[in-house]
């Protein structure tokens, strides 16, 4: 027996945030965001909701259970956010400028592996965790227009 969904809005004590460098082209922003968030669902099953189904019974894949907040930041702010995410040991995904020149997953991983942490040329960062911790990581960034 199905029960009616609660009319109360669902509140989350966690946050998913994506930071994009301000100098990216529009297509790069979309590409980076897509790649970054794909990593979260693979390692953090709690961020994935239930599968969807339309009125005709056609099934669709599950998606994140909560919104993804997208921010933009300067290169310096992005570097600071990365350091904050590391210091808080928050789950994270990175996208470096080198990944625009590779064409496959193996080369992507090799490009990141070749650069020391402090020298990564970050163009994007995704982070997940408690709201207050994520808010501290993205401090200085602004909501993407």
């Amino acid at each position: 027996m199905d029960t009616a969904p609660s009319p109360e809005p669902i509140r989350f004590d966690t946050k998913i945030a994506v930071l994009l460098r301000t100098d990216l082209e529009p297509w790069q922003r979309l590409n980076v965001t897509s790649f970054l968030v794909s990593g979260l669902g693979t390692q953090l099953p709690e961020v994935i909701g239930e599968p969807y189904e339309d009125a005709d019974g056609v099934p669709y894949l599950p998606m994140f259970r909560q919104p993804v907040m997208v921010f933009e930041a300067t290169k310096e702010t992005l570097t600071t956010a990365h350091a904050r995410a590391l210091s808080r040991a928050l789950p994270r995904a990175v996208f470096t400028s080198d990944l625009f020149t590779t064409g496959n997953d193996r080369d992507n991983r090799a490009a990141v592996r070749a650069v020391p942490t402090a020298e990564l040329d970050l163009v994007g960062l995704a982070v997940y965790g408690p709201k207050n911790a994520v808010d501290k990581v993205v401090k200085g960034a602004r909501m993407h227009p």
Side-chain angles (χ1 to χ4, degrees), residues 2 11 25 36 44 51 56 86 88 97 101 124 132 139 144:
D2 285 337
R11 305 271 185 234
E25 295 293 325
L36 287 172
L44 305 161
D56 293 323
L86 290 173
R88 288 169 173 78
S97 62
T101 63
N132 61 346
K139 184 178 180 181
H144 192 281

Side-chain angles (χ1 to χ4, degrees), residues 42-57:
T42 62
Q43 296 298 308
L44 305 161
E46 69 271 17
V47 302
I48 304 297
E50 297 296 319
Y52 287 75
E53 183 177 294
D54 66 25
D56 293 323

